[in-house]
Amino acid sequence: MRTPIKFSVALLAVFTAAGFSTAQAASCDTPIAYVATSDGVAVVNTSSNSVVATIPLNIQSGAGSEAYSVVLNSDGTRLYARGANFNGVAVVDTTTNSQVATFSTDQLQYSDGSLFDMAFDPHANYLYVASGSGGTIHGQQVWLFNATTGNLIAQLLPYLGVGIQEVALNPAGTRLYVNGGFGLRVMDTVTFATIANLSGSNGLIGSGGQLLVNPTGTRLYVSGYDGFAGINTISVLDTGSNTVVATIPTAGQGGLAVSPSGDRLYDSHGSVIDTSSNTVVADIHATLGSALGNGIAITINATGTRLYIVTDDFGDENGNQHPRLITVDTSTNTVISTLSLPGSYAAGIAVAPCQPYSAELQPPINSDGTSTFAANRGVIPVKFTLTNNGVSTCTLPPATISVTRTAGTNTGSVNEAVYSMAADSGSNFRNDGCQYVYNLNSGGLGVGTYKVTINIGGQIVGSASFKLK
C-alpha cells in the first residue's frame, strides 16, 4: 500500500555546515550541491563556488567513508548516499550535515549484490535502490524502503542479466524504469507488475545506461553505446507506448539532465539537445576543450540557468587525479567556474530543491479539505492558479496531475486511465486563461478520499483533498 505524505511548498533556504560559524544560503539560481566523492559527500555552496563541508559516511564497518551516488528527498532535509560496494544506504540530515541513520540490506534475504542507483518518490515517501551485482539472480533486484523509517517495503526482482545499474521514476510516481545489462523494464509502482521489457530488439541502445524522465513524464531518455556503430547515443522513449521514437548520437555516455521546461536535454559530456527535434544543437565540450574532462554526472538548477557537471580526470602537475565541479551558463553554454573537489574521484551529484512556483487551489474544491462530492457527479474540475516567487503569473509552465486514494478501497496511487476524461491529455493540466484546469472522472475514481497534486518540473507545487460518496 502506498501512503501519501503531507507536502509543504516552503523553499529550502538555509543550510548550516558543521564546523562553520556562518550559515550557507541557498537560492533557486545558486543551490547547495552535494557531490559523491571518495572522501564522502562534498557540500558545495554554488554561490561562492566553495566546498563548505565534507560528510564522511559510515555504512559498513571497515568499508571507508566514500560515496558513489546521492539523492535528496522532496524538501531537501534528507540526503541518501551509498558507497561503491556497500550493502546499505547512509541517511544524512542536511541541516547538520551529519549521518543520522543507515538503511542496511545485510540481514535481508538475497542481499548478495552491491547497491547502485537510487530514486526517491515524494508521493509515497519511498526510496528505490538498485542492487547491481552479485553471483545470482537475487543480487540483481530493486530494494524499496520507507524513506523515513528505513523499513523494507518490497524486494523487486526484475532480473536483467548483468546487474541492475539505473532506476528512475516518472513525476507522478506511477512508473518505475529499471535498466540492466540486457534490457530496460517498465514497472507499475502500485502492483509492481512489469508493463514492458525493452532491449536491442526493440531499438533500445544503452542497456545499463543512465535514465532520465522529462518533467511531464512523456519521454524517457537512456544513454548508451552502440557497439556495432562505435558511437555513443541517447535513446528517446515515448512513455505512453513504451517505444523508441528517436536515437541521438552524442559525444559520450554519461549522466543526463533536462531543463525545467523540458525543451533542452544535456549530457555530462557536453551535448546540448533540442528535445523537439531530438538533435544536438551545441557542444559544451567543444567550447571548453580539455577543461570539461571526463564528465561523469550532471544536474541543473531549478531555474534552468546553470548546469553542474562532475568530472573525474583533472590531473595536476604531478599527475595526481583531482575531480572537479564545473558550472555552465545555459544561456551561452560557457563555463562560469570550476572547483576542485576532495578525494581522488567524484561520481553522483544532487542539488537542493528549490521551487519558485506555488499553486493556489480554486473552487469547486475547498482548500481546507472539506469538499465532498457525489461519486456519480461525473466531472470534478481541479483548478489552480500560479505564483512565481510570490507574484501571480499567467505564464504557466507545463504541469501534470497525480491522484492518490488516501482512504477507501485499494488506497495508493491511481492510474491516469482511471481518472482522465476526453477533455484531458493524459496527466497534463490544460491552461485556461490564467489557471490550470483538469477534469477528473469521479465515476472512474469511486467512493473514497483523494489527494491530488500538481507537479511542475518534477516537483509538487500544490495539492488538494476531497471526498467522494
Side-chain angles (χ1 to χ4, degrees):
M1 180 179 72
R2 294 165 59 86
T3 305
I5 57 173
K6 183 177 180 181
F7 180 80
S8 170
V9 212
L11 299 182
L12 182 64
V14 177
F15 293 77
T16 301
F20 291 79
S21 58
T22 303
Q24 307 297 329
S27 75
C28 289
D29 286 322
T30 54
I32 296 293
Y34 300 89
V35 185
T37 77
S38 59
D39 286 358
V41 178
V43 183
V44 178
N45 184 325
T46 63
S47 177
S48 61
N49 194 41
S50 60
V51 177
V52 296
T54 301
I55 308 168
L57 304 183
N58 181 19
I59 300 176
Q60 285 182 226
S61 177
S65 63
E66 64 197 64
Y68 196 80
S69 64
V70 287
V71 66
L72 286 156
N73 68 352
S74 56
D75 65 4
T77 59
R78 287 293 183 270
L79 175 79
Y80 304 94
R82 67 136 188 108
N85 296 294
F86 302 158
N87 286 335
V89 176
V91 184
V92 173
D93 182 337
T94 59
T95 63
T96 61
N97 287 334
S98 60
Q99 183 175 337
V100 294
T102 301
F103 297 169
S104 177
T105 63
D106 282 342
Q107 303 303 315
L108 299 179
Q109 188 180 21
Y110 305 142
S111 61
D112 61 345
S114 299
L115 304 182
F116 276 68
D117 195 28
M118 300 179 290
F120 176 78
D121 179 1
H123 306 284
N125 195 35
Y126 285 169
L127 181 69
Y128 293 85
V129 185
S131 176
S133 63
T136 71
I137 180 176
H138 303 301
Q140 300 165 29
Q141 59 186 302
V142 178
W143 306 96
L144 177 56
F145 292 100
N146 180 304
T148 300
T149 66
N151 293 336
L152 182 68
I153 305 297
Q155 292 172 262
L156 313 179
L157 296 169
Y159 180 57
L160 296 173
V162 190
I164 297 170
Q165 298 174 6
E166 300 295 330
V167 289
L169 288 162
N170 68 348
T174 57
R175 292 292 181 269
L176 174 69
Y177 301 95
V178 184
N179 208 8
F182 287 133
L184 171 73
R185 182 164 294 188
V186 184
M187 303 183 71
D188 185 306
T189 59
V190 178
T191 64
F192 301 130
T194 296
I195 297 171
N197 286 298
L198 292 95
S199 62
S201 61
N202 306 107
L204 177 69
I205 299 174
S207 297
Q210 293 273 342
L211 302 175
L212 180 69
V213 185
N214 71 349
T216 58
T218 58
R219 290 291 184 268
L220 173 70
Y221 302 103
V222 186
S223 68
Y225 177 74
D226 186 342
F228 294 101
I231 59 173
N232 297 287
T233 65
I234 296 175
S235 295
V236 184
L237 277 74
D238 181 315
T239 58
S241 60
N242 291 315
T243 57
V244 177
V245 295
T247 301
I248 308 168
T250 61
Q253 182 180 2
L256 300 172
V258 66
S259 63
S261 63
D263 65 336
R264 286 292 183 269
L265 176 69
Y266 305 89
D267 73 16
S268 58
H269 289 271
S271 299
V272 182
I273 297 162
D274 182 326
T275 59
S276 62
S277 62
N278 291 318
T279 56
V280 176
V281 294
D283 184 357
I284 299 172
H285 197 288
T287 303
L288 299 180
S290 61
L292 182 58
N294 183 28
I296 297 298
I298 186 172
T299 192
I300 194 168
N301 65 0
T303 56
T305 59
R306 297 290 185 269
L307 283 174
Y308 304 100
I309 304 175
V310 176
T311 70
D312 74 342
D313 64 352
F314 175 63
D316 61 18
E317 64 275 9
N318 298 317
N320 298 314
Q321 193 173 24
H322 296 291
R324 291 188 301 170
L325 179 65
I326 296 178
T327 304
V328 174
D329 183 332
T330 59
S331 66
T332 59
N333 294 322
T334 56
V335 64
I336 297 172
S337 62
T338 62
L339 174 67
S340 294
L341 296 168
S344 59
Y345 76 78
I349 182 173
V351 295
C354 176
Q355 182 52 266
Y357 296 112
S358 176
E360 305 297 327
L361 181 65
Q362 302 299 308
I365 303 177
N366 297 330
S367 59
D368 60 3
T370 59
S371 295
T372 300
F373 305 100
N376 61 0
R377 172 188 174 109
V379 178
I380 299 176
V382 181
K383 301 180 179 181
F384 289 95
T385 56
L386 193 69
T387 61
N388 185 352
N389 289 314
V391 179
S392 296
T393 180
C394 292
T395 303
L396 306 181
T400 59
I401 193 172
S402 299
V403 181
T404 304
R405 186 181 293 111
T406 59
T409 305
N410 297 324
T411 58
S413 294
V414 181
N415 192 286
E416 71 177 49
V418 174
Y419 59 76
S420 62
M421 304 188 72
D424 301 317
S425 175
S427 61
N428 300 304
F429 277 93
R430 68 180 184 277
N431 298 353
D432 185 5
C434 286
Q435 66 180 355
Y436 293 106
V437 179
Y438 193 96
N439 288 336
L440 280 179
N441 180 2
S442 62
L445 290 172
V447 174
T449 302
Y450 295 88
K451 178 180 179 179
V452 297
T453 61
I454 178 171
N455 313 287
I456 296 176
Q459 294 187 36
I460 300 171
V461 298
S463 65
S465 296
F466 61 89
K467 293 181 180 180
L468 294 179
K469 66 176 183 179

